[in-house]
Amino acid sequence: MGGAVVPILPDMTRMAGWGSSTMEYMGAEVAAEMAALGVSYYNGGDAGVRAEHTLAQLGSHPALITVAGGSIPASGPVDVTASNVRASSLLKSFSGTLAGVAGTLSSTATTLVFTRAAAGDAVAVPAGTPFIPTVGPQYRDAVNILNIGKNDIGGAGADTMIIEKTAEAFAWMSPLVKRIVVMGHAVNRDTADDSPGRAQIMTVNAAFARAYGALYFDLQSYMVSPQIWIDAGVTLSLIHI
């Protein structure tokens, strides 16, 4: 595939989830369920981030870095920019390599920062050099859950972007036989019926259902179904006023 030999089947003993708060906050429960099946789980959820951040952390669309001054210094941090990833205080630092130099990419509210892992010679970095994450590619041949772009909902063209970026991440996974659950997005509580964000989520979910079939999990339908109360062990009762 693309000139490389890839596995036919995924490694069913490893699993990872990618997205924002939905994935991060369900991580402990998913890990416990998977452990009971003998499957290790990596929580790649990062609350508050956008699709561009998730794809950079995963590695399907790495951050394309330009270093201030044009080179990584011999030691310490250096401010950087990325043409495809905006700075965000919500982005958790993650490890990887930039121009062959190991380090971490982190962010303040206004600035991305690369910090090399060990001192060494200064290294020139051409503009647009990809920062290759360490963890994401390690799960490229595993079972994965994709729940990308919830925090982009409401922006112009967000539905189209989420559909495209999810497809990109899905295709990037290396086994020929995919074991990737594409999880749809749920509408936030108290969202107005005529909200543009609600319409975008419904558009995204419908596109996912068409594209991924049995590999799609309809989170929205599940969240508003009676089954969720059964699974949670909650008995509902009617209150007559």
Side-chain angles (χ1 to χ4, degrees):
M1 184 172 67
V5 177
V6 300
I8 294 176
L9 299 175
D11 180 354
M12 300 290 286
T13 68
R14 297 182 300 120
M15 186 178 191
W18 305 95
S20 51
S21 58
T22 300
M23 290 308 308
E24 180 177 0
Y25 298 150
M26 68 187 284
E29 288 76 14
V30 175
E33 293 288 344
M34 291 301 104
L37 300 174
V39 177
S40 64
Y41 180 75
Y42 175 77
N43 186 357
D46 192 356
V49 300
R50 296 175 179 267
E52 65 204 56
H53 301 113
T54 300
L55 297 184
Q57 292 166 324
L58 174 60
S60 62
H61 201 132
L64 301 177
I65 299 295
T66 297
V67 179
S71 66
I72 299 171
S75 63
V78 61
D79 289 350
V80 302
T81 58
S83 60
N84 59 330
V85 177
R86 74 196 80 181
S88 171
S89 60
L90 300 173
L91 177 63
K92 295 177 182 176
S93 63
F94 59 107
S95 63
T97 58
L98 178 63
V101 178
T104 58
L105 187 64
S106 59
S107 183
T108 67
T110 58
T111 307
L112 293 168
V113 179
F114 174 76
T115 305
R116 62 186 302 161
D121 295 335
V123 176
V125 180
T129 296
F131 177 81
I132 306 300
T134 300
V135 175
Q138 294 175 354
Y139 286 89
R140 194 175 178 184
D141 64 344
V143 180
N144 285 270
I145 305 173
L146 302 179
N147 183 241
I148 296 167
K150 176 64 181 289
N151 293 308
D152 291 281
I153 291 293
D159 45 1
T160 299
M161 181 274 291
I162 291 169
I163 293 166
E164 291 175 349
K165 294 302 184 185
T166 300
E168 178 184 342
F170 187 97
W172 178 81
M173 300 296 176
S174 61
L176 296 182
V177 178
K178 301 289 195 291
R179 290 292 180 267
I180 304 161
V181 176
V182 175
M183 186 164 71
H185 296 291
V187 178
N188 289 349
R189 186 184 64 186
D190 300 328
T191 299
D193 289 345
D194 59 354
S195 164
R198 178 186 290 273
Q200 286 183 336
I201 286 176
M202 294 308 180
T203 297
V204 168
N205 289 349
F208 285 171
R210 291 191 300 269
Y212 303 108
L215 295 177
Y216 167 61
F217 174 63
D218 188 350
L219 180 63
Q220 169 67 16
S221 293
Y222 176 68
M223 291 289 287
V224 299
S225 74
Q227 187 63 42
I228 193 170
W229 302 109
I230 297 171
D231 293 343
V234 175
T235 301
L236 300 180
S237 60
L238 296 176
I239 300 177
H240 297 282
I241 300 176

